[in-house]
Amino acid sequence: MAKVIFYEKPGCINNTKQKTLLAAAGHDLEVHNLLTTPWTVETLRPFFGSLPIAAWFNPSAPRVKSGEINPKTVDESTALALMLKDPLLIRRPLLEVAGDCRVGFDAPAVDEWIGLTAKPSEDLETCPRSHETAPCPTKP
């Protein structure tokens, strides 16, 4: 099984479920707080690979939901600068295994990449609180 470096927002319901799935598959988790990690362009950019810039963003982030930031209209350098200043904008989780970095938790893709023993019966990427008007609590 793999050693998975897992960057999460503490208290995130889906991140907790994602970690449970990874641990159940026998993976060793090294968990970090995405919000307090001292990111740089060089450390953050590899997680996004060749994904479209809009897919780098957390669609449930307050500044995205309010329309203040439109992920479809920003360029790469602007997106990274915004995320360095406001890590809530970063899509979660960030995953690293043996130097291979990924963003988000597409269960079939994670299964193909490192293996899962159980398949989730629910969407583990969309915040279950996204219908609420108040943002999720932040626990640094």
Side-chain angles (χ1 to χ4, degrees), residues 31-50:
V31 179
H32 297 273
N33 185 332
L34 180 133
L35 304 178
T36 60
T37 296
W39 296 108
T40 65
V41 168
E42 295 76 23
T43 59
L44 183 59
R45 178 63 182 90
F47 288 94
F48 306 127
S50 61

Side-chain angles (χ1 to χ4, degrees), residues 66-117:
S66 73
E68 176 186 343
I69 296 172
N70 180 348
K72 294 179 181 178
T73 63
V74 297
D75 63 23
E76 180 174 316
S77 61
T78 301
L80 290 165
L82 288 166
M83 290 176 180
L84 294 177
K85 289 181 184 174
D86 183 1
L88 282 175
L89 294 170
I90 302 168
R91 182 175 161 203
R92 299 185 301 269
L94 297 181
L95 304 165
E96 181 179 350
V97 175
D100 188 3
C101 300
R102 311 275 176 105
V103 63
F105 199 89
D106 173 5
V110 171
D111 184 33
E112 183 177 315
W113 177 35
I114 58 173
L116 294 174
T117 54

